[in-house]
């Protein structure tokens, strides 16, 4: 199986088109004005997929099996309040507590109309016919209840491809999520069909996932060795989405932000978004600065910590690719989350329309430290780099990374020093960070 | 932690979000909002006599310089598409005025491998295209180093800005101000 970015782009457009048709039909049926929210394709694993369901959200909806041009499983879920509102809007003010009654049929009816909207949009883009089975009412008890055991087990254990769509309502909270879990083999065939060029072998995407995980592990190692911080690094998923859609997924709240550009076997941008409170905590513990504004020393501390994480992530990737990746000195900004990611999107959008985004969160085990990390590689480099990946290389990758430190306060940028020395250098650079 | 699954959390009944590479036109007193403009350019347009407002949130200056994408992605095509839809919604050609906002340089370009003047070029292209279409620009807020959230109220014709450093909205000039001047 080969994946082509071009084909993924087509499937992305398919998903977005389906969401548009579904949103319009929801509006027509309920009178609720709607807007298509973020559409994304996730490369995730079965374990992560399982963790998304059954988390006390009390969602209800339908599952529909698909066949023909796009075999798989489609599920539509509404949060309980949204479900109540839909039932009320349709004039059937029946409590959802009694799910055997008309409330259930109203939910099935609306969900089915929306699902058919999605399917019609997909079929239109793919120029195929998609067969839709009768909908089955589901409650979000766990992944099996929503997607069905057979569909869940048929996903690739390491690399399940899931399409997600959100639809937002104007004037009311719309707790809605749509999942499309395509049949793995059928999707492989569809992605390969008609695409040009070499593409990316599916087994290499599995290695891609491992590369991302290795980078995340290196971030944790580096923070532990150089800053004495015990952290959890959670690579939640690799998203494939339109560049336009990236800012919308980032908070509008002001964030302390540090950006890097990187180049080498992979190029692109790396952005760290610190929750403001945790940035201040970090600065207070590092330089004792309790002023309301993050001063020069505080900014240096944040930049250095980001530098340590950037080095870890990129060295993890570089080791797996057996190449080098250099990164810039850190650029600091305090601004709205969407506004700081926007220039990076503009930077990439002159060359590409879509991006893989490594969506990662770093949290400290024993403090408030909380940072979001977005790694957005240049698409053209990524295809080339992935072709070098061997799926079993992660297991052979040496444990000691070379740490490329770009000194923030002083010194020569780009010194390549080995792990032990790097620890000392980085310790110097963040000497005031409180040791646990 | 917010992942890529949602949009603005604080949407109220008449606030419509305009995402990157989108434009929207309204005529029933709604407020159009483009969140977190960095280097992007937003073009607001309003016809006070018809109460029709349009807001475009663009990424790149000209359609012929970039990749394929929706017409709302590029300043030139987004202005044309927004104006067209405003006229379809009842705006009078010749009665519409505009604002240009955005194009900030959030990061120091010396640190990052970023294109140098996309925001500035975008703002220039917006001015040129609006002039070609005979749409007067009543005010601009372009450049600088701060991100901006833009709100265009179709009920009042007011366009306001909020930055991370200042929660207090800044009101840009309206056509009425210009006539008073």
């Amino acid at each position: 199986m080969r994946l082509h970015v071009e084909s993924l782009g087509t499937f992305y457009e398919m998903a977005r088109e389906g969401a548009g048709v579904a949103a319009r039909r929801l509006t027509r049926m309920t009178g609720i004005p709607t807007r298509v929210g973020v559409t994304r394709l996730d490369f995730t694993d079965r374990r992560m997929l399982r963790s998304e369901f059954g988390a006390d959200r009390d969602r209800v909806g339908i599952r529909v099996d698909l066949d023909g041009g796009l075999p798989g499983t489609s599920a539509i879920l509404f949060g309980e309040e949204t479900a109540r509102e839909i039932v009320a809007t349709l004039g059937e003010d029946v409590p959802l507590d009694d799910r055997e009654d008309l409330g259930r049929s109203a939910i099935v009816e609306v969900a089915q109309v929306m699902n058919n909207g999605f399917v019609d949009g997909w079929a239109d883009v793919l120029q195929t016919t998609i067969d839709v089975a009768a909908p089955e009412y589901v409650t979000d008890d766990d992944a099996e209840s929503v997607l069905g055991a057979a569909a869940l087990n048929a996903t690739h254990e390491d690399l399940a491809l899931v399409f997600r769509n959100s639809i937002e309502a104007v004037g009311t909270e719309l707790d809605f999520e749509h999942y499309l879990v395509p049949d793995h083999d059928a999707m492989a065939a569809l992605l390969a069909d008609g695409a040009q060029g070499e593409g990316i072998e599916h087994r290499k995407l599995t290695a891609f996932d491992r590369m991302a995980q290795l980078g995340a592990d290196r971030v944790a190692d580096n923070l532990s060795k150089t800053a004495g911080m015990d952290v959890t690094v959670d690579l939640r998923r690799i998203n494939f989405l339109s560049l336009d859609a990236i800012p919308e997924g980032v908070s509008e709240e002001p964030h302390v932000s540090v950006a890097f550009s990187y180049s080498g076997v992979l190029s692109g941008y790396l952005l760290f978004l610190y929750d403001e409170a945790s940035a201040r905590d970090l600065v207070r513990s590092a330089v004792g600065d309790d002023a309301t504004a993050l001063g020069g020393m505080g900014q240096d501390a944040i930049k250095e910590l980001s530098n340590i994480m950037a080095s870890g992530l990129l060295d993890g990737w570089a080791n797996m690719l057996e190449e080098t990746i250099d990164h810039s000195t850190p650029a600091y900004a305090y601004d709205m989350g969407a506004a700081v990611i926007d220039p990076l999107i503009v930077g990439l959008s002159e060359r590409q329309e879509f991006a893989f985004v490594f969506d990662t969160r770093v949290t400290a085990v024993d403090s408030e430290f909380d940072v979001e990390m977005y790694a957005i590689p240049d698409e053209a480099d990524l295809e080339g780099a992935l072709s070098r990946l061997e799926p079993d290389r992660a297991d052979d990758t040496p444990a000691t990374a070379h740490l490329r430190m770009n000194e923030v306060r002083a010194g020569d940028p780009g010194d390549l020093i080995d792990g032990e020395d790097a620890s000392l250098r980085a310790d110097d650079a963040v000497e005031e960070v409180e040791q646990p | 932690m917010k992942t890529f699954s949602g949009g603005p959390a604080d949407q109220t009944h008449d606030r419509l979000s305009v995402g990157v590479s989108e434009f929207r036109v309204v005529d029933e007193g709604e407020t159009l909002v483009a969140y977190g403009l960095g280097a992007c350019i937003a073009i607001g347009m309003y016809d006070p006599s018809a109460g029709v407002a349009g807001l475009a949130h663009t990424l790149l200056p000209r359609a012929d310089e970039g990749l394929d994408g929706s017409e709302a992605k590029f300043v030139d095509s987004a202005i044309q598409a927004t104006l067209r839809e405003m006229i379809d919604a009842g705006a009078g050609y010749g009665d519409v005025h505009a604002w240009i906002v955005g194009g900030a340089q959030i990061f120091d370009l010396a640190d990052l491998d970023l294109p140098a003047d996309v925001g500035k070029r975008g703002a220039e292209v917006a001015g040129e295209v609006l002039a070609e279409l005979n749409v007067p620009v009543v005010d601009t807020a372009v450049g600088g180093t701060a991100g901006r959230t833009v709100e265009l109220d179709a009920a009042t014709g007011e366009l306001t800005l909020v930055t991370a450093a200042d929660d207090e909205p800044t009101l840009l000039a309206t056509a009425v101000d210009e006539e008073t001047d």
Side-chain angles (χ1 to χ4, degrees):
Chain A
M1 168 180 174
R2 285 178 183 276
L3 286 177
H4 297 258
V5 172
E6 185 189 356
S7 305
L8 284 176
T10 302
F11 278 88
Y12 186 87
E13 294 302 347
M14 173 204 87
R16 193 145 66 175
E17 176 64 23
V21 178
R24 288 194 290 278
R25 291 193 185 168
L26 177 65
T27 298
R28 201 181 307 150
M29 197 168 184
T30 63
I32 300 170
T34 55
R35 165 180 185 268
V36 175
V38 174
T39 296
R40 64 176 209 252
L41 273 63
D42 286 347
F43 294 92
T44 185
D45 61 31
R46 203 185 292 160
R47 181 185 59 84
M48 284 297 289
L49 190 56
R50 278 181 192 282
S51 71
E52 290 200 26
F53 296 93
D56 298 328
R57 289 176 63 188
D58 221 4
R59 298 185 296 178
V60 296
I62 61 165
R63 172 176 70 237
V64 176
D65 291 329
L66 307 175
D67 211 339
L70 185 61
T73 300
S74 174
I76 281 178
L77 290 176
F78 298 106
E80 190 173 12
E81 282 304 313
T82 297
R84 281 183 198 283
E85 187 166 343
I86 285 170
V87 172
T89 305
L90 291 182
E92 297 179 19
D93 196 3
V94 179
L96 277 179
D97 298 338
D98 184 6
R99 290 184 176 145
E100 294 301 318
D101 59 25
L102 287 172
R104 176 188 289 204
S105 65
I107 290 299
V108 171
E109 188 183 348
V110 172
Q112 190 176 13
V113 166
M114 292 183 76
N115 188 69
N116 288 343
F118 278 110
V119 170
D120 288 351
W122 304 335
D124 191 33
V125 172
L126 296 178
Q127 295 184 311
T128 185
T129 305
I130 301 170
D131 303 324
V132 182
E136 189 175 336
Y137 180 82
V138 295
T139 57
D140 181 14
D141 301 325
D142 52 32
E144 275 84 358
S145 336
V146 176
L147 299 175
L152 192 64
N153 291 331
T155 59
H156 194 285
E157 187 176 353
D158 294 329
L159 203 67
L161 179 58
V162 182
F163 293 69
R164 288 161 211 273
N165 290 281
S166 63
I167 292 175
E168 296 161 14
V170 179
T172 183
E173 188 74 21
L174 181 63
D175 182 2
F176 163 87
E177 192 104 31
H178 171 258
Y179 301 85
L180 166 64
V181 184
D183 175 83
H184 177 262
D185 293 339
M187 194 69 208
L190 280 168
L191 283 167
D193 195 23
Q196 303 292 315
E198 287 294 307
I200 305 162
E201 284 182 65
H202 183 272
R203 66 188 187 93
K204 294 198 171 178
L205 266 180
T206 310
F208 181 40
D209 188 50
R210 288 195 193 142
M211 178 188 93
Q213 192 58 55
L214 186 66
D217 292 347
R218 283 288 153 80
V219 169
D221 284 353
N222 270 12
L223 280 177
S224 171
K225 282 181 188 162
T226 60
M229 296 179 69
D230 193 8
V231 298
T232 303
V233 181
D234 178 19
L235 173 71
R236 282 162 309 185
R237 55 179 72 87
I238 302 169
N239 303 140
F240 178 82
L241 73 174
S242 162
L243 284 174
D244 307 338
I246 295 175
E248 202 167 330
V250 180
S251 167
E252 298 114 33
E253 294 302 311
H255 279 70
V256 171
S257 319
V258 180
F260 297 85
S261 53
Y262 54 90
S263 59
V265 64
L266 272 179
S267 61
Y269 300 105
L270 193 53
L271 179 70
F272 296 87
L273 287 182
Y274 294 82
D275 158 73
E276 193 174 349
S278 64
R280 291 189 189 288
D281 280 352
L282 199 67
V283 168
R284 264 192 290 274
S285 62
V287 295
D289 181 7
D290 59 358
T292 49
L294 282 165
M297 287 177 76
Q299 290 181 18
D300 281 350
I302 294 282
K303 286 201 282 190
E304 186 49 39
L305 198 72
S306 307
N307 206 42
I308 290 166
M309 290 192 279
S311 299
L313 184 84
L314 297 174
D315 285 344
W317 291 6
N319 277 1
M320 183 107 174
L321 294 163
E322 297 185 336
E323 288 282 351
T324 56
I325 303 173
D326 297 323
H327 66 81
S328 68
T329 51
Y332 176 94
Y334 171 78
D335 215 314
M336 306 166 197
V340 293
I341 208 161
D342 155 328
L344 312 184
I345 302 310
V346 170
L348 285 169
S349 67
E350 290 188 321
R351 302 190 289 275
Q352 64 195 64
E353 254 190 291
F354 298 97
F356 287 93
V357 179
F358 295 75
D359 183 1
T360 307
R361 184 183 185 186
V362 183
T363 44
V365 171
D366 54 2
S367 75
E368 294 296 309
F369 178 68
D370 189 348
V371 57
E372 294 168 38
M373 181 166 72
Y374 297 93
I376 314 173
D378 185 298
E379 179 186 292
D381 289 348
L382 189 64
E383 252 190 42
L386 288 179
S387 67
R388 299 161 178 265
L389 280 174
E390 289 305 326
D392 54 355
R393 192 180 291 165
D395 302 330
D396 307 331
T397 306
T400 306
H402 283 264
L403 182 61
R404 186 177 291 275
M405 293 290 298
N406 287 320
E407 293 292 343
V408 174
R409 293 180 185 176
D412 301 325
D415 284 348
L416 189 61
I417 48 184
D418 68 33
E420 190 180 351
D421 290 343
S423 300
L424 295 171
R425 283 284 282 280
D427 271 342
D428 290 342
V430 291
E431 61 205 359
E432 292 102 342
V433 172
E434 193 175 89
Q435 304 290 317
Chain B
M1 162 62 203
K2 197 170 177 184
T3 58
F4 292 102
S5 61
D10 59 347
Q11 219 165 39
T12 57
H13 70 284
D14 63 348
R15 289 164 64 82
L16 304 177
S17 174
V18 182
V20 179
S21 298
E22 284 184 355
F23 72 89
R24 264 185 115 128
V25 170
V26 293
D27 58 2
E28 293 182 355
E30 301 94 330
T31 297
L32 297 169
V33 188
Y35 290 96
L37 292 169
C40 284
I41 296 288
I43 301 99
M45 288 191 264
Y46 188 64
D47 174 353
S49 50
V52 177
L55 185 64
H57 187 164
T58 67
L59 199 56
L60 292 172
R62 286 194 184 274
D64 57 5
E65 290 177 5
L67 293 170
D68 292 340
S70 66
E71 56 190 354
K73 181 173 181 175
F74 306 98
V75 169
D76 56 351
S77 49
I79 289 173
Q80 289 159 5
T82 308
L83 188 59
R84 205 162 44 233
E85 194 165 312
M86 286 176 70
I87 289 165
D88 286 348
Y93 191 73
D95 297 330
V96 175
H97 57 258
W99 300 264
I100 305 169
V101 177
Q105 188 180 304
I106 305 291
F107 293 109
D108 188 343
L109 293 179
D111 291 330
L112 295 179
D113 177 23
L114 282 171
D117 56 356
V118 175
K120 188 176 163 217
R121 278 196 296 124
E124 287 168 358
V125 168
E128 289 163 15
V129 173
L130 288 166
E132 285 164 13
L133 294 168
N134 293 318
V135 176
V137 176
V138 291
D139 208 351
T140 62
V142 174
T145 57
R148 302 169 171 99
T149 286
V150 184
E151 292 194 15
L152 174 55
D153 186 339
T156 62
E158 290 180 344
L159 187 135
T160 52
L161 308 175
V162 173
T163 64
D166 186 4
D167 283 345
E168 200 58 40
T170 303
L171 181 66
L172 293 198
T174 65
V176 176
D177 295 333
E178 197 184 52
E179 284 161 10
T180 306
D181 292 341

